[in-house]
Amino acid sequence: MIRTGLYKFGFLRITLAARVGIPLIIASSAFAQNLPPLETLTGAAPTPSAAEAARVIVPGSNIPTAEEVGPNPVDTYNRDSINKSGEFTTEQFLLSLPIANANIIPISNNENGSNTAVGAATIALRGFDARATLILLDGRRVAVYPTGNNPGLVNVMFVDLNSIPQAAIESIEILKDGASTTYGADAVAGVVNIKMRHRYDGAEARVEYGNTLDKDSGLFDSSAIFGVGKGDTNITGVFNYYHRNSIANRDRGFSAVPPFLSSNASPYNLQLSSDVVAAAGGKNLNPGGTEFASPPDFTNGVAPANRYLYDASARIRAFGGLRPGFNFNQFSLSFPESERYGVYLSADHKVFGDQMVVYADGFYQNVKTHNELAAPATGSFETKGQTILAIPPNSPIAPGAEPPNTPTHAQTGLPADAFNPFNPFDQIISGGTRARLAEFGNRLFDNETDAWLSTVGVRGDKLFDGTWGYDAAFRYSQLKNTVTGTQVSASRFNRILNQADPIFDPNSPQFIGTTTAFNPFGDFRRPVASNEATVEFARAHPTDIDTSKLATLDATMYTTALFNLPAGGVGLAFGGQFRRESLKERPDQLNVEGDIVGNSPVPTATGGRKAYAFYAETRIPIFSPTYKIPGFYSLEFVAGGRFEEFLNNDTNVLVPKVGMRWQPFDEQLTLRATWGEGFREPSLEELFGSPISTLQVTHDPLKGGLLESETNTLISSNPNLQPEDSRSFSGGFVYTPKYVPGLTCSVDFWDIERTGVVIAPLDQQVLDGIAPGVVERDAGGFITRILIANQNFGSQEARGFDFGLNYQRATPWGTFTWLTQATYLDEFLFPQFIFAEFGPTPGNLAGRTTDPGLSNEGWYKWKGNSSLDWAWKGFDLVTIMHYIDGFHEFGPNLQRHYVHQTFFFDVQLSYDFTALLPVETQPVPGYSKGEKEVVRGKDGAPLETASAQTSNYSRSVLDHLLRGTIITIGCNDVFGQDPPPAFGEGGNGSGYPGFTYDATGRFVYARLTKKF
């Protein structure tokens, strides 16, 4: 099908552009016949044309340009900006930017650990999820992370920033606008183009160490960079190593106790027959029915029934229970341990000068992450779709003779002779029983990602009349992710509960070294010694292996002057692309069978897709500095289109984009605007991925709004999903006044719409009957699991403003640079995001939580950074202020709560010892390179001047030691500002918005850099 529908006011903007642009094109031809010849200063060289000036490909276009400000809003951060930011990883740097709002994927507090991304991270722009942001390397796509992540309403596929060697990055360009016509799917909210190092000259070594004020998260980072080449050939290489220690939730006062304590507790929360309880000497609180019970605190596992705690309708150890629930933050990590190392190589060779250059690059990056969660949480013992857990009765009961209101052998699958001598109740215990298997220790997740990328291509510039160029390349990238866990086998757990199992028979080949069954009636704070052998037997180490691959072949040809108008050459670029991507998810057999406590079965998954595209764009100058009239110093229009065909489902799409750049008076003021349509094809994970087991917060309407902070949820893929559509508009100005040298300010308005958004509705929406899903309940009517599938369910719209202010002033006391960037989210609409707390309609979500049940982040209205840099005689002092707005959420009792705004301050001081050395103005006689040491070009002439030779070969030991040596010290979060408290209706697991903030606190670091 062809998807070319226009949106409600997009058509009006196209009509307006046509009505304004076409007459101006006609007018330019008329003025060309009447205007006087262009002025040329006598004795001055003519102004070089755009084709002759520096030709640069900027994000959002394939046509080279020399313009400093184009139609598309672009932010560029060079290596110096990244170093001065004080951020240690690409993830941290990008997430600190104002344009990164909600729905990011951070490395911190990404705690699920099961069927999700452990240790991976990415950026999301404009408050949309990460699927709407396209991340490129040197303008080309890379393979996505092979396991999705569920930060909100869907399992998101994304490009992992931690799999890209940070030391190999030269600069980062962010196109703050849709660009589907240039790059295809995913370029909805913007594009992040990471430019790698190429043609590096010399060598550089760098080592850095830092730690928190609590000295519990040491960081070590090192890299080595080199560049070699003579004349037309260059090879650049980068080696990198990074390691950072973990942070435990218990080590921070603000996260030591989370807002909710788990009903999966130790001692266990048991569901029993009231009549059986009475027969054992306990309290009969619900004759003929069931009640909840729990062993007493600090029991050794042999307490009689009359010492148990009982409640007729609520679990004993839970929110609102007789005892608090289990504090999982005493055992879990908020920041995982991470280690990364790799190598990057880039090479190019000029075969025929600039007209033919062959190039290749590639890298290998290994990322290891260790994360820990509290001991396994069983959920309800009897959960449909999962392996049923059951504690046998005190003595064997014949099948069919079970007491009323108790689980049966047929329900639970227990053998007829099963019994557990520590059970004080003469019944099978299962159903709504919940437990924290604390005796088995923490759940451990060791994640290893191997990332490969290679590119081979040929490019050329200044062909034919000097205005033509081309670029063609093949790229292959792959991510292989291996997760090894330490968890508990559900089937083996059932076996160690049964004293009649052969594993306790010394004469059986299955004997595990003990004759005593597992005692589940103790308190983990008082370990039961006889449980050690059974614990070791039931531990499991599943290994999941997931692989994502992407192969692309693309070719682009461009010219800056297809033909000439009076204002200059008409630019044109056109090309094509072929992509082949695949996804393989291979869970361990234990996961496939659902034999991991607390998890649903996870089948294997395989998916693939092929797509091809054709695209074209043009730039039409109407007026220019060499051809102008009053009010039109410069004016140009850009237009582009892209056709893309997806062969897996016979879907195709055609999308347009138009833009305008106008300087009414001179270069001081530039007005710009763009409008375009976009699309996003569902990811392979959304179409074919394995189900995701997760926990959500619900209020059960059938139980009077009962709060359940750990509702077991299974989210499934859907092969019948349809593509999403999008529309974007941006408009603004850049002003650089001549009367204030060094000042540049900018304002941009943006508006983005998405329709047919693929989401998985939240559990509460299913319970409230406003979204499809399946609710499974136990015999008592309590929720055991909710089943949800991905679907084209939503529409979203975001609009806001970007503000920028840059002022630089040189003084006798150094150069001062002030840079401020801020983003204001005026509106975020998501009509399908309906919860009772928000009223019948959600309205504007800007300034609200992204998930009422968790509040890991919000749609922030304001976010900004402001930095002041002072550079003087080798010293460089940078101070940075970060501002993050607050947002509204709801507490455990649905009372409104405001998560307050925060200010964080960083400081960094560097000194370049090169400033101590005298500057030579004349070569020293008698010192020069030998004949064999002189590097010469093709014409035989030396490539270095005499002064350069002197500088390189007559330097003293002190000169070699000091030149290029830079020492840096810094402190992030100078005042030790804690994250703001957040509750998420009692479902927040960290006590603060854990996707926006982490637990690092004040962090001090030192860095040594040596350039050769």
Side-chain angles (χ1 to χ4, degrees), residues 567-908:
V570 174
L572 174 69
F574 59 91
Q577 182 185 76
F578 175 80
R579 297 200 309 270
R580 180 174 183 173
E581 53 185 320
S582 65
L583 173 69
K584 291 183 179 180
E585 296 182 346
R586 295 289 181 266
D588 190 280
Q589 191 62 30
L590 290 171
N591 282 320
V592 172
E593 296 172 353
D595 194 19
I596 296 299
V597 168
N599 288 357
S600 295
V602 181
T604 60
T606 301
R609 177 163 56 205
K610 297 178 182 178
Y612 67 86
F614 299 101
Y615 48 87
E617 64 174 301
T618 184
R619 179 185 296 125
I620 305 174
I622 308 302
F623 298 103
S624 68
T626 60
Y627 181 78
K628 57 190 175 183
I629 62 174
F632 292 92
Y633 177 81
S634 178
L635 176 68
E636 69 179 31
F637 291 94
V638 295
R642 184 184 186 96
F643 173 81
E644 192 146 358
E645 174 88 18
F646 295 90
L647 303 179
N648 64 308
N649 58 0
D650 295 325
T651 300
N652 56 53
V653 65
L654 176 65
V655 290
K657 182 174 182 178
V658 294
M660 179 271 293
R661 174 182 176 273
W662 175 29
Q663 293 178 330
F665 311 114
D666 53 21
E667 295 94 343
Q668 295 183 82
L669 177 63
T670 301
L671 306 177
R672 59 190 180 189
T674 64
W675 176 92
E677 292 184 351
F679 66 98
R680 192 191 72 84
E681 188 77 2
S683 70
L684 295 180
E685 177 76 13
E686 293 163 358
L687 293 167
F688 310 112
S690 300
I692 301 297
S693 295
T694 186
L695 301 175
Q696 295 188 21
V697 177
T698 59
H699 296 270
D700 190 351
L702 299 186
K703 293 291 183 180
L706 176 67
L707 172 65
E708 175 52 76
S709 298
E710 299 171 290
T711 303
N712 197 324
T713 307
L714 188 68
I715 302 174
S716 302
S717 56
N718 181 356
N720 299 316
L721 294 172
Q722 295 299 307
E724 302 174 358
D725 291 325
S726 65
R727 176 211 52 80
S728 64
F729 171 79
S730 69
F733 69 85
V734 179
Y735 184 48
T736 306
K738 293 181 179 179
Y739 57 85
V740 186
L743 174 65
T744 298
C745 55
S746 64
V747 177
D748 286 291
F749 168 79
W750 46 270
D751 188 302
I752 303 170
E753 293 181 10
R754 300 172 68 190
T755 58
V757 179
V758 176
I759 64 173
L762 293 177
D763 286 357
Q764 192 63 51
Q765 294 176 301
V766 176
L767 290 172
D768 293 339
I770 61 176
V774 177
V775 181
E776 298 175 346
R777 298 178 181 272
D778 61 19
F782 293 95
I783 299 171
T784 58
R785 188 173 65 161
I786 296 180
L787 308 180
I788 300 172
N790 295 334
Q791 53 196 280
N792 295 97
F793 188 69
S795 62
Q796 298 175 334
E797 180 178 4
R799 73 180 184 202
F801 295 87
D802 293 328
F803 303 92
L805 181 66
N806 186 8
Y807 180 59
Q808 188 174 75
R809 183 177 179 84
T811 72
W813 309 280
T815 299
F816 294 85
T817 303
W818 178 34
L819 175 62
T820 297
Q821 292 180 309
T823 294
Y824 173 68
L825 179 63
D826 176 61
E827 180 180 78
F828 195 96
L829 301 180
F830 194 174
Q832 291 73 30
F833 194 76
I834 299 176
F835 292 91
E837 302 91 321
F838 290 152
T841 58
N844 184 6
L845 296 175
R848 292 182 179 177
T849 175
T850 60
D851 186 338
L854 297 176
S855 285
N856 276 318
E857 60 187 350
W859 280 291
Y860 300 101
K861 283 194 171 184
W862 283 100
K863 188 178 179 184
N865 296 331
S866 185
S867 65
L868 181 62
D869 186 332
W870 169 67
W872 178 72
K873 294 185 177 180
F875 289 98
D876 199 330
L877 177 65
V878 184
T879 58
I880 304 175
M881 181 193 73
H882 304 276
Y883 175 77
I884 302 176
D885 207 358
F887 63 89
H888 295 275
E889 62 151 3
F890 302 92
N893 296 315
L894 300 186
Q895 72 276 17
R896 288 185 176 271
H897 175 252
Y898 183 70
V899 179
H900 66 75
Q901 69 277 12
T902 56
F903 291 89
F904 291 90
F905 294 87
D906 304 336
V907 62
Q908 181 187 101

Side-chain angles (χ1 to χ4, degrees), residues 225-261:
I225 308 164
F226 69 89
V228 295
K230 294 184 179 181
D232 295 333
T233 303
N234 180 271
I235 298 175
T236 297
V238 179
F239 301 92
N240 67 284
Y241 177 82
Y242 169 93
H243 182 272
R244 181 168 177 182
N245 291 327
S246 59
I247 300 176
N249 277 304
R250 63 180 175 272
D251 292 333
R252 298 292 185 271
F254 49 77
S255 63
V257 181
F260 88 94
L261 301 179

Side-chain angles (χ1 to χ4, degrees), residues 456-539:
V456 178
V458 58
R459 63 175 180 264
D461 197 10
K462 301 179 182 178
L463 279 75
F464 307 130
D465 60 354
T467 66
W468 285 83
Y470 64 93
D471 191 353
F474 171 78
R475 168 173 287 180
Y476 174 81
S477 59
Q478 173 182 314
L479 268 77
K480 179 183 178 182
N481 192 62
T482 304
V483 182
T484 301
T486 299
Q487 303 197 67
V488 176
S489 163
S491 62
R492 289 194 171 201
F493 180 67
N494 279 332
R495 293 186 68 183
I496 64 175
L497 291 170
N498 178 14
Q499 183 67 63
D501 195 283
I503 60 175
F504 299 114
D505 182 358
N507 298 316
S508 169
Q510 302 179 46
F511 182 60
I512 62 173
T514 181
T515 58
T516 305
F518 180 78
N519 183 348
F521 300 97
D523 186 323
F524 78 99
R525 293 166 292 186
R526 187 179 178 183
V528 178
S530 62
N531 282 343
E532 290 184 8
T534 53
V535 164
E536 188 60 35
F537 173 76
R539 279 200 182 104

Side-chain angles (χ1 to χ4, degrees), residues 26 51 75 131 195 222 230 295 346 386 510 599 674 682 843 852 895:
I26 298 174
D75 287 341
R131 299 170 300 168
K195 301 183 72 172
S222 62
K230 294 184 179 181
S346 170
Q386 297 183 2
Q510 302 179 46
N599 288 357
T674 64
Q895 72 276 17

